[in-house]
Amino acid sequence: KAGVTQTPRYLIKTRGQQVTLSCSPISGHRSVSWYQQTPGQGLQFLFEYFSETQRNKGNFPGRFSGRQFSNSRSEMNVSTLELGDSALYLCASSPRQSGLEQYFGPGTRLTVT
Amino acid sequence: GQQLNQSPQSMFIQEGEDVSMNCTSSSIFNTWLWYKQDPGEGPVLLIALYKAGELTSNGRLTAQFGITRKDSFLNISASIPSDVGIYFCAGHTPAEDMRFGAGTRLTVKP
């Protein structure tokens, strides 16, 4: 089975721009979660989707949003980028509704200049 | 609260030695997960624990879900150079929020 795939792998954006990241879960997985990883804050939960519905949301500003499509693929969007948004954005999929046993993709490295 | 305290932050060991790391919290967790992350990659799930007291092995790795549901440990026996990386504990709270420890950076000297 193919693993979780994320595109693009690397991205450089300018402050004020917006960005959309994509995640394709493992086939058959319907739960997708997004995380932000930085050296200072570690892994922080952004949101979780199951069957196109957001089940959980972390403590991030409204500039961070996401969605899930009927084929379980997910996108996250960050608007009005700030320098502090530079991070590795990880997507994880799970075969279970509650999102347990999460399998991570390789991440998208976002650099905001 | 529901934060995970992972220790040690880093370890430098000789190839062949055993390794032990742990995670603790002041709150209970319903699951404990252990991940390994290599540079530039996403975390890879090593072991998942679902019941208090559960002891599970995956090759040279062994992890246990503490009986108080507030802690977990991961042991690596007979370490090898490819064990190098950052190990994260994670857990699901009763509200099904997932929390991560800050990670243990393992260095193995040949």
Side-chain angles (χ1 to χ4, degrees):
Chain A
K1 240 184 209 183
V4 177
T5 58
Q6 291 186 245
T7 57
R9 289 294 308 274
Y10 303 92
L11 204 49
I12 300 175
K13 290 285 189 179
T14 305
R15 262 184 311 176
Q17 287 186 315
Q18 74 162 16
V19 66
T20 298
L21 311 181
S22 181
C23 170
S24 292
I26 293 171
S27 177
H29 287 195
R30 292 163 62 192
S31 173
V32 173
S33 299
W34 287 90
Y35 296 85
Q36 181 194 67
Q37 187 177 34
T38 59
Q41 299 296 321
L43 270 158
Q44 293 191 290
F45 171 72
L46 280 158
F47 20 67
E48 179 193 357
Y49 289 88
F50 181 83
S51 292
E52 303 178 67
T53 301
Q54 188 179 88
R55 292 187 70 245
N56 238 331
K57 190 176 190 304
N59 190 24
F60 277 82
R63 300 185 297 107
F64 291 81
S65 63
R67 59 178 176 168
Q68 186 180 33
F69 302 95
S70 58
N71 61 0
S72 294
R73 192 176 69 85
S74 178
E75 288 181 348
M76 68 162 280
N77 184 77
V78 187
S79 61
T80 319
L81 284 165
E82 301 177 359
L83 294 179
D85 297 333
S86 295
L88 181 67
Y89 289 88
L90 292 161
C91 166
S93 75
S94 173
R96 300 172 188 240
Q97 180 174 348
S98 57
L100 304 181
E101 278 184 44
Q102 297 189 5
Y103 297 86
F104 284 84
T108 294
R109 171 75 61 188
L110 171 65
T111 302
V112 182
T113 62
Chain B
Q2 293 176 323
Q3 300 307 310
L4 294 182
N5 302 305
Q6 185 171 351
S7 64
Q9 285 188 333
S10 61
M11 302 182 75
F12 296 82
I13 62 168
Q14 204 73 38
E15 182 178 358
E17 289 183 351
D18 297 343
V19 172
S20 185
M21 59 192 79
N22 69 84
C23 266
T24 61
S25 174
S26 57
S27 302
I28 62 171
F29 281 78
N30 286 347
T31 63
W32 285 95
L33 307 166
W34 285 92
Y35 289 88
K36 179 183 180 227
Q37 187 173 24
D38 292 325
E41 298 295 328
V44 174
L45 181 63
L46 300 173
I47 293 178
L49 303 159
Y50 298 102
K51 289 192 296 192
E54 181 179 354
L55 182 72
T56 298
S57 293
N58 178 7
R60 295 177 296 105
L61 277 60
T62 302
Q64 184 159 30
F65 191 143
I67 57 172
T68 65
R69 295 172 63 192
K70 294 181 180 180
D71 63 334
S72 176
F73 72 75
L74 174 71
N75 287 341
I76 305 173
S77 63
S79 59
I80 59 178
S82 62
D83 290 334
V84 164
I86 301 177
Y87 292 80
F88 290 97
C89 64
H92 283 89
T93 69
E96 296 188 348
D97 296 329
M98 193 156 172
R99 299 279 185 266
F100 283 85
T104 294
R105 183 180 295 274
L106 178 64
T107 302
V108 180
K109 293 178 285 188

